[in-house]
Structures are given as C-alpha cells and as structure tokens.
Amino acid sequence: MTENHLSLATFYKGWDVYQQHLVTAIAPLTPEQLALRAAPHQWSIGMIATHIVATRVGWFHMWMGAGSSELAPIAAWDENEEPSRSAAELVAGLESTWQMIQDALAHWTAADLEQVFQNPDVPDKPRRSRQWIIWHVLEHDLHHGGELSLALGMHGLTAIDL
C-alpha cells in the first residue's frame, strides 16, 4: 500500500489495548459495584461505561455511517430513561462498538480523514471531519476511562491496568 492507501488502523494501534483494559475492568463487576460513584454528584461506574458505548455509536455509526444498523439503539443507552446495564451487557456493548471502530479504521485511509459530516440530529450545528470525530471518540474513551479507573480505585476495586 502507498502512504495514502494505508489503513487508519496503522495509526491508531494501542486503542485496541485500551479497549481490552476497559473490558477487563468492567467484566467482573456486580450490579452493586456498577452503581458506585466517585462522589454523589458524579455518574456511577456503570453509567460511565454506558456513556462510552453510546458515544462510540453516536459518532461512528450515527454521524459517519460505520457499522451495522443493529447498533443504532445503543446510541440511546446513556439517556435518562434507559435501564441500568449489567456488566455482561456493558462488555458486549464495548466489544460490538469496538468491532465497529476497528472495522472502520481498517477500511479508511488518510485521504478519508478529510470527509466532513453534518450533525444527523441538528443540521445547523457545525460539521465535523472524520479526523475530528475519530480523535474526539479516542479522547472521550481515555477521559471517561480515567474516571472509571478513579472510581474503581476509590472503592478498592481493580482499576484499569495501564
């Protein structure tokens, strides 16, 4: 492959490792542990994980059309009226959304980073490039993964192993 035809997966190596750290941290948690918070006004561990999953679908699927249409309902997981998710559901959500991201990165090239997308819900909002969206989702995973790690550690649970 020439430089312009290298898949983006080449440039995002390491995100897959972080994904596995998230799964490893969430998988063993009980419903009681998923309900723990770093502070009363902060989201629970489960809600943070739910938000990571929903945001991935929102940006990659709803904005950029990546992945199967079966993922669309996951975009609403972090809305107020949604039920709490079990550790198994969260892990399945992390894994299915990661597969969507991994497949997309494997097919997109550097030239694809320039494509710009319109907000699917509010058309008059700013448009975003594929490059901006990928970086935003990566930084979002890292930010909220840090919150997860902090909350887990505060409660004596195994934090994300970096």
Side-chain angles (χ1 to χ4, degrees):
M1 284 188 157
T2 66
E3 187 175 312
N4 280 346
H5 293 92
L6 284 175
S7 90
L8 294 181
T10 301
F11 303 102
Y12 290 96
K13 285 196 182 295
W15 194 356
D16 56 336
V17 175
Y18 193 74
Q19 155 69 15
Q20 191 54 51
H21 289 317
L22 290 172
V23 167
T24 300
I26 295 298
L29 301 179
T30 66
E32 294 76 21
Q33 292 168 328
L34 288 169
L36 295 171
R37 300 167 184 264
H41 64 284
Q42 298 292 317
W43 279 348
S44 69
I45 292 168
M47 185 59 195
I48 296 168
T50 299
H51 181 63
I52 291 170
V53 170
T55 298
R56 288 173 170 186
V57 174
W59 285 106
F60 269 75
H61 179 71
M62 306 306 280
W63 273 71
M64 297 190 294
S68 163
S69 61
E70 295 171 5
L71 292 170
I74 297 174
W77 273 18
D78 62 351
E79 294 181 8
N80 289 335
E81 63 278 353
E82 286 288 312
S84 296
R85 307 287 169 180
S86 69
E89 288 175 294
L90 292 170
V91 166
L94 286 166
E95 289 176 340
S96 64
T97 58
W98 177 249
Q99 189 63 54
M100 169 191 64
I101 291 169
Q102 194 171 34
D103 290 347
L105 293 176
H107 290 94
W108 294 334
T109 66
D112 294 321
L113 291 172
E114 301 299 320
Q115 186 173 354
V116 175
F117 298 89
Q118 186 171 354
N119 184 316
D121 298 320
V122 188
D124 61 340
K125 291 282 187 175
R127 297 165 59 90
R128 301 290 184 197
S129 69
R130 187 181 315 274
Q131 181 175 355
W132 186 95
I133 293 170
I134 294 169
W135 172 250
H136 180 66
V137 175
L138 174 56
E139 71 180 344
H140 186 270
D141 272 20
L142 295 169
H143 170 81
H144 288 298
E147 285 183 309
L148 274 173
S149 196
L150 176 68
L152 289 164
M154 288 177 70
H155 292 287
L157 300 169
T158 303
I160 295 173
D161 182 19
L162 297 176

